[in-house]
């Protein structure tokens, strides 16, 4: 009898341990989904009043997936949005456009997707996850980032091909690298960098740390880096201007909120914030 | 975090093949008879947790396009660079790591505990931060790098040497911890006996200690090699990414993921297959020796 009692106690303890292990795993995965639950309760409410024009009746959370280069300007716009519509909350997930697109097609709950290239937007529209057609809301132009004071006297894309210069480019798999390649091809220049960086911020960091003499990055990145780098504009960048599309998503929990946020981005005040960050008007 | 001598195959225990070693219990595969349930259940959960993602990779692998990928010159270039750099990083770790482990285990000096903690720091440092730290030390503007550049004209970032340095920085702690644990478990009386017979401390280390801790060194080296092979963050930050010079396999996998996830999975499989083959081969080697 006592043995069976012990046996049951033992299995119970085992279950507890197993439960604890499972709970730990759940807790790990819950990090990614905890903030969506908050929008679930409110989504029902916003669906009920889902007449997109009644912007004054907005509530709940708007989840925006946006390219990393939009971080500064979108954060500002998010605060504006919350001020204009009391009771709403805008949560952002900033990252590389391609990984964001991958998580949206993988079923991540988001209301708005703003990407740094039509190519990555196409991933989402092809998968049928977008509602409507994406609209270009800003454009971004390439610029050469040099060391402060431009000691190497870089004035054009051609100057980067000097053999004693350490230049970093983005890898051609990421938007800024593809754009740089386009600009180089258009000007028929051959440039061998010391490294093809994994994203635009990494390329910029190499110049900020003075490990590289120059990098081809976006105007907005040079802008965000402040006085740590100096920007040099070059005419060939006209051949490789990047469009930034934005679209509400089909599985949006907060359709009205998504529409309203996109409207704000495209409005005069939204455009003002974006151009101040170095973006070009569409 | 120490590895006793008889566990010297711990790193390679998950690999199939290789002769069976002497085991404490031979109740393997008997459905847990004699294994307490509270240990078995979490152990199985742990095992599943580690293995299921790998199985998922195998399931989702683009088997049809594998041959094309494997014959592409870029893959071979990246793979060769990975193997060469990981091996070089392991060699560097052995040359400076084993003496360091010996120092930590056998020599009493003030602040030894602190030094031991410092040695293991790269284990917990986010790899990208490790890369930045290396840049600040050995970069063109780094504390040491500036002097290297002005006096010898040596610049390390964006070179293959840089890859080896980044990998060794991240992988060496594994070796040091492993060897130091082995040394502390090893019986110092053999060394003392050698000393009474007139051997100098260095001779005793060379002729007595080294053979004694060889399995521990081998285990540590394998761990370090495997860690170096998979190194991504410190490498891309310190050495950058240039095909044939600094683009190791993990870097090409990461970049392939941006445009062609299937290719990335296939490349990961290549890396896994190669490391499994090498580790299994090594395990055979030192099991017959030890």
């Amino acid at each position: 009898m006592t043995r069976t009692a012990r046996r049951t106690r033992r299995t119970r303890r085992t279950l507890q341990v197993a439960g604890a292990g499972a709970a730990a795993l759940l807790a790990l995965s819950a990090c990614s989904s905890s903030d969506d639950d908050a929008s679930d309760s409110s989504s029902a409410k916003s669906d009920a009043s889902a007449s997109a024009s009644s912007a004054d009746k907005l509530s709940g959370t708007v989840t925006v997936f946006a390219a990393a280069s939009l971080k500064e300007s979108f954060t500002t716009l998010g605060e504006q949005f919350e001020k204009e519509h009391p009771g709403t909350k805008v949560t952002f997930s900033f990252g590389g456009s391609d990984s964001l697109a991958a998580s949206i097609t993988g079923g991540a709950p988001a209301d708005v997707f703003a990407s740094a290239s039509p190519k990555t937007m196409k991933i989402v529209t092809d998968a049928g996850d977008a509602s409507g057609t994406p609209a270009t809301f800003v454009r971004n132009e390439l610029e050469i980032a040099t060391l402060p004071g431009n000691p190497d006297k870089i004035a054009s894309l051609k100057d980067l091909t000097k053999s004693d210069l350490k230049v970093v480019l983005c890898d051609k798999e990421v938007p800024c690298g593809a754009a740089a390649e386009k600009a180089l091809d258009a000007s028929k220049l051959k440039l061998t960098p010391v490294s093809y960086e994994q994203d635009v911020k990494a390329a910029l960091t190499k110049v900020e740390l003075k490990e590289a003499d120059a990098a081809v990055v976006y105007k907005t990145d040079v802008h965000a880096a402040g006085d740590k780098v100096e920007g040099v504009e070059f005419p060939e960048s006209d051949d490789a201007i990047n469009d930034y599309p934005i679209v509400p998503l089909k599985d949006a929990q907060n359709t009205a909120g998504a529409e309203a946020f996109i409207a704000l981005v495209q409005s005069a005040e939204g455009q003002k914030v974006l151009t101040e960050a170095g973006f070009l008007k569409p | 975090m120490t590895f006793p001598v008889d566990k010297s195959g711990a790193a390679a225990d998950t690999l199939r093949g290789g002769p069976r070693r002497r085991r404490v219990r031979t109740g393997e595969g008997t459905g847990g008879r004699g294994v307490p349930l509270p240990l078995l259940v979490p152990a199985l959960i742990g095992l599943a947790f580690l293995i299921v993602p790998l199985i998922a990779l195998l399931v989702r692998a683009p088997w049809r396009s594998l041959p094309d990928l494997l014959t592409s010159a870029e893959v071979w270039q990246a793979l060769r660079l990975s193997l060469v750099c990981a091996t070089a990083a392991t060699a560097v770790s052995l040359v400076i790591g084993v003496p360091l482990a010996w120092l930590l285990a056998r020599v009493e000096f003030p602040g030894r505990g602190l030094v031991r903690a410092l040695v293991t720091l790269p284990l917990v440092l986010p790899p990208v931060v490790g890369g930045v730290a290396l840049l600040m030390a050995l970069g063109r503007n780094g504390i040491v790098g500036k002097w290297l550049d002005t006096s010898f004209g040596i610049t390390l970032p964006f070179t293959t040497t840089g890859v080896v340095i980044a990998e060794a920085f991240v992988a060496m702690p594994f070796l040091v911890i492993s060897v130091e644990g082995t040394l502390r478990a090893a019986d110092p009386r053999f060394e003392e006996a050698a000393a009474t017979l007139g051997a100098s401390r260095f001779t005793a280390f060379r002729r007595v200690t080294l053979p004694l801790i060889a399995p521990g060194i081998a285990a540590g080296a394998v761990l370090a090699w495997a860690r170096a092979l998979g190194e991504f963050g410190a490498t891309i930050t310190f050495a950058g990414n240039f095909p044939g010079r600094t683009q190791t396999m993990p870097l090409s996998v990461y970049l392939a993921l941006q445009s062609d996830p299937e290719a990335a999975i296939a490349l990961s499989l290549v890396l896994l297959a190669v490391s499994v083959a090498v580790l299994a081969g090594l395990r055979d080697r030192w099991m017959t020796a030890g």
Side-chain angles (χ1 to χ4, degrees):
Chain A
M1 278 311 274
T2 49
R3 187 180 292 176
T4 49
R6 204 178 302 145
R7 172 75 45 86
T8 49
R9 199 179 322 138
R10 192 187 296 163
T11 45
R12 192 178 309 147
R13 192 180 310 146
T14 313
L15 285 174
Q16 278 170 357
V17 173
L25 283 179
L26 281 176
L28 280 176
S29 60
C31 299
S32 52
S33 61
S34 58
D35 47 2
D36 332 315
D37 299 339
S39 60
D40 281 352
S41 55
S42 56
S43 62
K45 245 183 289 173
S46 61
D47 278 349
S49 63
S51 48
S53 57
S54 61
D56 52 337
K57 284 211 186 75
L58 290 176
S59 65
T61 308
V62 187
T63 310
V64 180
F65 277 32
S69 44
L70 293 163
K71 190 168 181 178
E72 291 83 7
S73 36
F74 264 35
T75 309
T76 313
L77 287 175
E79 283 161 10
Q80 273 191 23
F81 186 86
E82 285 170 15
K83 225 180 281 165
E84 281 171 32
H85 309 284
T88 57
K89 191 169 173 355
V90 186
T91 54
F92 289 107
S93 173
F94 294 108
S97 303
D98 35 65
S99 57
L100 291 176
S103 51
I104 289 170
T105 52
D111 301 318
V112 178
F113 178 44
S115 91
S117 71
K119 196 182 105 192
T120 44
M121 180 54 82
K122 200 168 170 296
I123 298 172
V124 172
T125 49
D126 284 356
D129 289 328
S131 114
T133 45
T136 301
F137 65 103
V138 282
R139 294 178 311 148
N140 211 346
E141 195 176 15
L142 292 174
E143 211 172 53
I144 298 168
T146 66
L147 301 174
N150 197 354
D152 301 300
K153 305 275 178 299
I154 295 163
S156 70
L157 202 55
K158 193 168 184 304
D159 290 349
L160 294 182
T161 57
K162 288 182 203 158
S163 59
D164 56 342
L165 278 186
K166 281 188 163 67
V167 181
V168 292
L169 297 176
C170 299
D171 194 88
K172 61 181 188 306
E173 307 286 2
V174 291
C176 61
E181 200 176 35
K182 223 160 138 187
L184 284 165
D185 285 349
S187 47
K188 303 213 170 26
L189 288 170
K190 272 243 127 336
L191 172 57
T192 308
V194 288
S195 170
Y196 294 103
E197 294 294 317
Q198 79 265 35
D199 59 44
V200 69
K201 295 286 182 207
L204 194 69
T205 304
K206 293 288 195 292
V207 179
E208 285 181 13
L209 291 171
K210 298 193 171 62
E211 292 302 335
D213 301 307
V216 179
V217 295
Y218 287 121
K219 220 173 174 151
T220 50
D221 298 301
V222 174
H223 199 280
D227 53 8
K228 290 202 215 79
V229 300
E230 191 163 308
V232 176
E233 294 185 5
F234 58 100
E236 296 90 346
S237 63
D238 296 347
D239 298 314
I241 289 178
N242 221 357
D243 290 349
Y244 279 51
I246 192 166
V247 79
L249 295 170
K250 210 203 226 108
D251 295 335
Q253 305 276 359
N254 193 344
T255 330
E259 302 274 356
F261 184 79
I262 293 173
L264 172 67
V265 168
Q266 292 178 315
S267 71
E269 58 178 327
Q271 290 291 308
K272 187 165 155 275
V273 171
L274 287 158
T275 45
E276 271 169 12
F279 286 104
L280 305 172
K281 286 202 165 73
Chain B
M1 271 300 297
T2 52
F3 300 91
V5 184
D6 62 331
K7 279 266 184 59
S8 58
D13 256 350
T14 50
L15 302 173
R16 308 296 287 280
R20 279 284 291 277
R21 266 173 314 135
R22 201 163 40 81
R23 285 188 192 275
V24 185
R25 56 165 355 117
T26 46
E28 247 201 353
T30 53
R33 209 184 125 170
V35 182
L37 263 184
L39 284 179
L40 185 68
V41 173
L44 290 179
I45 291 177
L47 189 65
F49 176 56
L50 293 177
I51 302 241
V52 168
L54 297 181
I55 293 174
L57 261 189
L58 286 173
V59 170
R60 299 291 296 273
W63 295 108
R64 245 173 308 162
S65 55
L66 260 184
D68 289 348
L69 276 163
L70 294 188
T71 47
S72 84
E74 284 166 11
V75 172
W76 281 108
Q77 204 180 35
L79 188 61
R80 201 176 52 233
L81 190 73
S82 267
L83 293 173
V84 167
C85 288
T87 309
T90 310
V92 169
S93 304
L94 280 170
V95 171
I96 53 184
V98 173
L100 177 60
W102 179 84
L103 197 73
L104 287 174
R106 287 283 187 271
V107 182
E108 280 282 358
F109 57 91
R112 185 161 71 158
L114 180 69
V115 173
R116 191 176 288 140
L118 287 176
V119 165
T120 57
L121 217 49
L123 284 180
V124 289
L125 207 62
V128 177
V129 178
V132 172
L134 283 171
L135 278 179
M136 308 233 165
L138 301 170
R140 212 166 44 160
N141 261 330
I143 305 171
V144 183
K146 211 171 198 152
W147 168 76
L148 280 177
D149 194 10
T150 48
S151 355
F152 307 103
I154 299 172
T155 50
L156 294 168
F158 310 119
T159 61
T160 309
T161 318
V163 179
V164 176
I165 288 173
E167 288 181 352
F169 178 75
V170 175
M172 198 171 85
F174 283 90
L175 182 90
V176 175
I177 289 175
S178 169
V179 173
E180 196 221 353
T182 315
L183 270 169
R184 283 214 256 168
D187 197 337
R189 280 178 306 181
F190 291 111
E191 290 155 60
E192 283 156 21
T196 56
L197 295 170
S200 72
R201 212 162 174 187
F202 180 65
T203 310
F205 171 77
R206 207 162 42 92
R207 305 286 300 276
V208 179
T209 319
L210 267 188
L212 200 64
I213 60 167
I217 293 181
V222 167
L223 265 180
W225 186 84
R227 180 68 188 84
L229 193 68
E231 217 304 306
F232 169 80
T235 310
I236 202 163
T237 310
F238 182 64
N241 165 53
F242 192 86
R245 197 171 346 136
T246 64
Q247 190 180 65
T248 56
M249 212 60 185
L251 270 58
S252 62
V253 168
Y254 177 83
L255 289 158
L257 206 53
Q258 316 265 347
S259 58
D260 188 359
E262 288 208 326
I265 294 176
L267 290 175
S268 311
L269 285 181
V270 174
L271 192 62
L272 279 177
V274 169
S275 30
V276 166
V278 170
L279 291 173
L282 272 179
R283 190 165 170 244
D284 283 355
R285 191 69 45 78
W286 25 273
M287 275 5 292
T288 47

